[in-house]
């Protein structure tokens, strides 16, 4: 930047402050070129030597000069400018915006009560400075000056003050000449303050002609303007006016009727005569008032908005355009575990979120900026205690002063909901009692292992069945059996590796998947499992000896698909049981003894059907509120001449496997409907059907025949299926056909097998039976929350919820609190045979 400065001294009269001013002629005195002096830093910078000649030439001109760049910053000035305007000496700084020059000048010349108006004076001065486009003349300190502005390409513009020679003339004539080119109102007054002359613009401002103004004081002109409008002058106006006139050179403002405002700048000459320049600033005042009102409204709105945000019940955040936190309300701080806002404001919002969700957060903010409407997403924030806050975030752009653009985020704490969803999702792949993977998850992991690249799919499967578990269940009850299963699961997990999968398949059946296991490794794992189960398990205060039998198969030598491997593992398991239990056997194709055993059981089952060895026991289902019997579940029993009363878990799977389930199921339906038709209380009868019955297509005909023969109404028959039955696509057709007949459909043992919310959506069940394992753990808040969630889902689907396994009053009270409407369990009755049930006349073949 080129700075123009002087290398010359000054010749003239020295003031008491050491400042040189023009002599009495009003013309700048001549200056010798050889005299040099240092220039104060606050005035200007010393130019480079190459500019010395140019600076000398500019300083030698009789024209005052001041240069400005395109941004209105002061580039420099010559010495003549300071001779013409000594009041600016020391107040103009090179490189500084013209606004700062004016602000510094006014700050030292205004009274204390005028200081609040500095910015208005500055704004008016800049406006005059910037709009001046044609030359005009005025008198300053006894010298007439002609002012013009020149544009300098590549630099900015230059303002010039040229002294002009005028013959002495009456004051009125000089004023008239000055008024000819003046852009605003001008009035010249004598030492007594009486106006000698005024231009046309002055008269227009105050509502009188220049002739009428002559002889009046400025105070009288203002009073007359108010009187002409028939309005009283504002309080203290005249007193302030007199005070302002005494301070020569300081701008002051005068209010006039009609909400008009005039700004006055008085220039006092020697002898007390003065010239006043009057500017109409009404538009400026209105604009300022409008800006103040808008700013006040914006601040009021911002304050109101911040109050709403702070006291909102859900978390609220305000983020600026740079992604920094500007506001956080107390709900968010409480959810995050941070009591004060000071620790959060100024942080990046991303710093509070989980790093894995950074992309989600950026996406929400980007959508809010692009769409204008709310952008929604779910993400995690880190609590101060190290925990995780799951939140549903809704972001919208807004304008909240002082930031021109901000984003408002509503943060809803959904941690409880997410946890419940996680538990339900976990339940879909895990056993509710032991929290081990269930059959579904085990099959998924086995399939994934077998589908691995060639050479990497080697694995071992251990098929386990507890020994003497039925004794514990029958003698000590289901609660004791559940305790035993949990302890078994704990012991097994303790001796397996972290990459091994231990699953509970159902009942007392377990399975283990060992990745990359050879025969030796598989045998060692099986031996550890057998050994760990040798120690007695204390159940209900009694030591119980329960061993485990294990069948072992290896992939790929024993099979390459899951079905083949699991079938052969089951055969190896029967080999272990045949060997005396509490041992393990590796699958051997020559296991004829096991096959013979199964064949013998198959023959017994077929003979049992022919001989009528099967009977039905019934367990009541009652209302939770009145304990009124509304249904009885039919449970088939096999009274074997050698084995005694055999549980369905022992023969139903075999019946399914050998194709006898259709005949057995048809007999159960006929017998259950015949018994129910004789009940005088109108209770329903619930019949469990096998997935094989549904798949084979024989179920519809069996139901129709049973209803027709017994005369039982279809609405009193409830068909129970388990989650092992696929009901996707056409697989649901048989159940829909039962619905059309009028029968009810119940989902039994919900949560123990293939449980999932999507399963419930695929078919409109009439009843959902919550497995007894949930009831046993109903005192746990997490389990209670899951039960509550299932009840809520059932209510939405219009289904009845039955809680199984109720054995105590406390359990009954708990499931009633969670909304279960029907209950079943030993508290209300064990499965028993009804009167009239015999073994000679209800043979299946009859």
């Amino acid at each position: 930047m080129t700075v123009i400065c002087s290398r010359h001294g000054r010749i003239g009269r020295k003031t008491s402050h050491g400042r040189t001013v023009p002599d009495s002629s009003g013309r700048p005195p001549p200056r010798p070129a050889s005299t040099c002096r240092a220039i104060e830093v606050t005035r200007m910078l010393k130019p480079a030597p190459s500019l010395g000649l140019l600076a000398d030439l500019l300083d030698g001109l009789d024209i005052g000069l001041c240069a400005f760049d395109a941004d209105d910053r002061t580039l420099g000035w010559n010495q003549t400018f300071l001779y013409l305007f000594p009041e600016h000496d020391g107040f103009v700084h090179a490189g500084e915006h013209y606004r700062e020059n004016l602000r510094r000048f006014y700050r030292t010349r205004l009274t204390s009560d005028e200081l609040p108006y500095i910015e208005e004076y500055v704004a008016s001065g800049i406006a005059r400075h910037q709009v001046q486009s044609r030359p005009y003349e005025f008198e300053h300190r006894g010298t007439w000056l002609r002012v013009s502005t020149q544009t300098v390409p590549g630099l900015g513009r230059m303002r010039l003050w040229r002294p002009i020679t005028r013959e002495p003339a009456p004051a009125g004539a000089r004023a008239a000449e000055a008024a000819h080119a003046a852009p605003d109102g001008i009035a010249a007054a004598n030492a007594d303050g009486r106006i000698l002359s005024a231009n046309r613009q002055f008269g227009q401002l105050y509502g009188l002609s220049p002739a009428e103004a002559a002889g009046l004081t400025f105070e009288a002109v203002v009073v007359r303007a108010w009187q002409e409008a028939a309005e009283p002058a504002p309080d203290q106006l005249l007193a302030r006016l007199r005070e302002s006139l005494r301070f020569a050179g300081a701008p002051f403002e005068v209010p006039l009727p009609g909400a008009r405002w005039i700004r006055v700048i008085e220039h006092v000459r020697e002898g007390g005569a003065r010239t006043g320049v009057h500017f109409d600033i009404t538009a400026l005042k209105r604009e300022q008032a409008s800006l103040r009102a808008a700013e006040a409204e914006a601040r009021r709105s911002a304050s109101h908005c911040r109050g709403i945000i702070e006291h909102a019940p859900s978390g609220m955040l305000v983020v600026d355009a740079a992604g920094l936190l500007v506001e956080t309300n107390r709900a968010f701080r409480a959810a995050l575990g941070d009591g004060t806002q000071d620790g959060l404001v100024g942080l990046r919002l991303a710093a509070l979120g989980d790093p894995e969700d950074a992309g989600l957060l950026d996406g929400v903010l980007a959508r809010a900026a692009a769409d204008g409407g709310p952008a929604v997403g779910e993400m995690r924030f880190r609590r101060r205690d190290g925990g995780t806050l799951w939140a549903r975030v809704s972001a919208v752009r807004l304008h909240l002063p002082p930031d021109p653009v901000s984003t408002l985020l509503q943060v809803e704490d959904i941690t409880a909901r997410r946890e419940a969803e996680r538990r339900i999702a976990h339940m879909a792949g895990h056993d509710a009692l032991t929290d081990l993977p269930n059959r579904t998850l085990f099959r998924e992991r086995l399939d994934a292992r077998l589908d691995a690249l060639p050479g990497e799919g080697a694995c071992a499967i251990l098929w386990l069945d507890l020994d003497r578990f039925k004794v514990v269940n029958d003698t000590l009850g289901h609660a004791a059996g559940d305790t035993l299963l949990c302890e078994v699961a704990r012991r097994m997990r303790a001796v397996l590796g972290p990459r091994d999968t231990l699953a509970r398949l159902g009942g007392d059946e377990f399975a283990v998947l060992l990745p990359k296991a050879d025969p030796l490794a598989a045998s060692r794992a099986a031996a550890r499992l057998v050994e760990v189960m040798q120690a007695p398990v204390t159940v209900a205060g009694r030591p119980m000896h329960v061993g485990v039998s294990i069948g072992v198969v290896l992939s790929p030598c024993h099979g390459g698909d899951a079905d083949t491997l699991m079938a052969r593992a089951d055969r190896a398991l029967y080999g272990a049981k045949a060997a005396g239990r509490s041992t393990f056997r590796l699958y051997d194709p020559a296991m004829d003894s096991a096959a013979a055993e199964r064949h013998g059981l198959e023959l017994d089952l077929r003979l049992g059907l022919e001989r009528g060895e099967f009977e039905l026991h019934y367990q009541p289902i009652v209302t939770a509120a009145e304990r009124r019997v509304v249904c009885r579940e039919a449970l088939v029993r096999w009274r074997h001449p050698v084995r005694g009363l055999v549980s369905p878990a022992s023969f139903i799977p075999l019946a399914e496997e050998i194709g006898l389930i259709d005949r057995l199921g048809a007999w159960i339906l006929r017998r259950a409907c015949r018994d129910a038709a004789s009940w005088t209380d109108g209770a329903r009868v619930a019949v469990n059907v096998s997935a094989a019955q549904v798949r084979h297509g024989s179920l519809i005909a069996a139901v129709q025949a049973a209803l027709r023969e017994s005369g039982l109404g279809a609405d009193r028959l409830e068909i129970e299926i388990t989650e092992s039955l696929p009901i996707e696509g056409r697989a649901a057709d048989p159940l829909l056909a039962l619905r059309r007949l009028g029968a009810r459909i119940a989902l039994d043992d919900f949560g123990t097998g293939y449980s999932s919310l999507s399963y419930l959506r695929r078919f409109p069940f009439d009843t959902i039976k919550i497995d007894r394992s949930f009831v046993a753990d109903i005192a746990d808040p997490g389990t209670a929350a899951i039960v509550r969630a299932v009840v809520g889902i059932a209510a939405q689907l219009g289904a009845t919820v039955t809680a199984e396994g109720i054995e105590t009053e406390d359990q009954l009270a708990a499931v009633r609190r969670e909304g279960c409407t029907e209950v079943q369990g030993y508290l209300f009755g064990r499965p028993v045979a009804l009167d009239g049930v015999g073994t000679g006349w209800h043979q299946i073949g009859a």
Side-chain angles (χ1 to χ4, degrees), residues 301-591:
S301 299
S303 177
H304 182 64
C305 180
R306 287 188 173 93
I308 293 175
I309 290 174
E310 176 65 16
H311 295 90
S314 59
M316 292 286 187
L317 308 176
V318 178
V319 181
D320 65 12
L324 301 179
L325 283 170
V326 178
E327 298 282 345
T328 64
N329 72 343
R330 59 185 181 184
F332 178 76
R333 296 193 297 271
L336 211 61
D338 197 318
T340 63
Q341 182 166 235
D342 295 340
L344 298 178
V345 171
L347 292 179
R348 287 197 169 275
L349 178 59
L352 301 180
D354 191 289
E356 295 180 1
D357 295 342
L360 295 175
L361 180 58
D362 292 341
V364 169
L365 295 177
R367 291 198 304 274
D371 301 340
V376 181
E378 293 186 1
M379 60 198 65
R380 293 165 291 180
F381 291 93
R382 292 178 300 192
R383 299 183 190 271
R384 293 301 182 191
D385 59 4
T388 298
L389 167 67
W390 270 101
R392 181 180 184 271
V393 177
S394 176
V396 63
R397 276 294 179 97
L398 51 80
H399 296 277
L400 186 65
D403 298 320
V405 177
S406 302
T407 303
L408 174 66
L409 295 95
Q410 180 178 354
V411 181
E412 179 187 356
D413 187 347
I414 59 170
T415 305
R417 192 197 81 191
R418 275 283 192 163
E419 181 61 21
E421 290 176 351
R422 186 197 66 78
R423 290 289 301 273
I424 292 176
H426 181 81
M427 182 179 67
H430 291 77
D431 173 54
L433 177 63
T434 62
D435 201 40
L436 294 176
N438 60 12
R439 184 183 295 270
T440 303
L441 184 55
F442 180 83
R443 178 62 182 261
E444 290 176 358
R445 293 183 180 179
L446 176 58
D447 287 338
R449 186 65 194 168
L450 296 175
D451 291 340
L453 294 174
E456 297 183 3
C459 62
I461 299 176
L462 279 58
W463 218 247
L464 299 84
D465 190 45
L466 298 183
D467 302 326
R468 295 177 295 279
F469 175 74
K470 185 176 181 297
V471 175
V472 177
N473 230 21
D474 291 344
T475 57
L476 301 180
H478 292 296
D482 291 345
T483 301
L484 175 61
L485 291 173
C486 291
E487 175 60 18
V488 168
R490 187 194 65 77
R491 291 188 183 187
M492 290 182 177
R493 270 195 298 249
V495 298
L496 293 172
R499 298 181 57 206
D500 302 334
T501 297
L502 171 64
R504 184 190 176 202
L505 306 180
D508 61 343
E509 296 179 355
F510 294 82
V512 176
L513 174 62
L514 303 176
K516 294 184 177 180
D518 54 26
L520 180 59
S523 298
R524 288 176 175 173
R528 290 196 301 270
L529 291 171
V530 171
E531 181 181 1
V532 77
M533 292 306 303
Q534 294 302 308
V537 180
T538 302
V539 180
R542 296 172 57 182
M544 306 296 295
H545 293 270
V546 179
V548 62
S549 298
I550 304 174
V552 181
V553 293
L554 301 173
S555 171
C557 61
H558 294 153
D561 63 275
D563 291 333
T564 298
L565 289 171
M566 291 190 294
R568 290 178 174 175
D570 189 58
R571 176 164 294 189
L573 171 62
Y574 276 103
K577 288 183 176 292
R581 302 178 183 270
S582 293
T583 187
F584 68 92
R585 286 291 183 270
L586 189 65
Y587 171 75
D588 184 352
M591 287 181 169

Side-chain angles (χ1 to χ4, degrees), residues 109 243-250 266-268 274:
R109 281 169 168 73
E243 181 182 354
S244 299
L245 288 172
R246 286 197 297 271
F247 190 78
E266 292 275 350
H267 300 282
V268 181
R274 63 179 65 202

Side-chain angles (χ1 to χ4, degrees), residues 568-643:
R568 290 178 174 175
D570 189 58
R571 176 164 294 189
L573 171 62
Y574 276 103
K577 288 183 176 292
R581 302 178 183 270
S582 293
T583 187
F584 68 92
R585 286 291 183 270
L586 189 65
Y587 171 75
D588 184 352
M591 287 181 169
D592 295 333
S593 58
E597 174 67 20
R598 286 180 60 82
H599 182 64
L601 183 61
E602 177 184 341
L603 292 177
D604 285 349
L605 183 59
R606 294 181 186 277
L607 290 174
L609 289 173
E610 297 296 334
R611 296 171 180 171
E613 296 174 353
F614 293 90
E615 60 188 49
L616 294 185
H617 289 191
Y618 295 93
Q619 185 176 27
I621 300 174
V622 304
T623 58
E626 302 91 357
R627 303 194 185 192
R628 176 174 54 85
V629 176
V630 292
C631 184
R632 295 180 179 88
E633 181 178 1
L635 303 171
V636 65
R637 298 291 186 264
W638 181 12
R639 196 173 293 279
H640 192 277
V642 177
R643 299 174 182 266

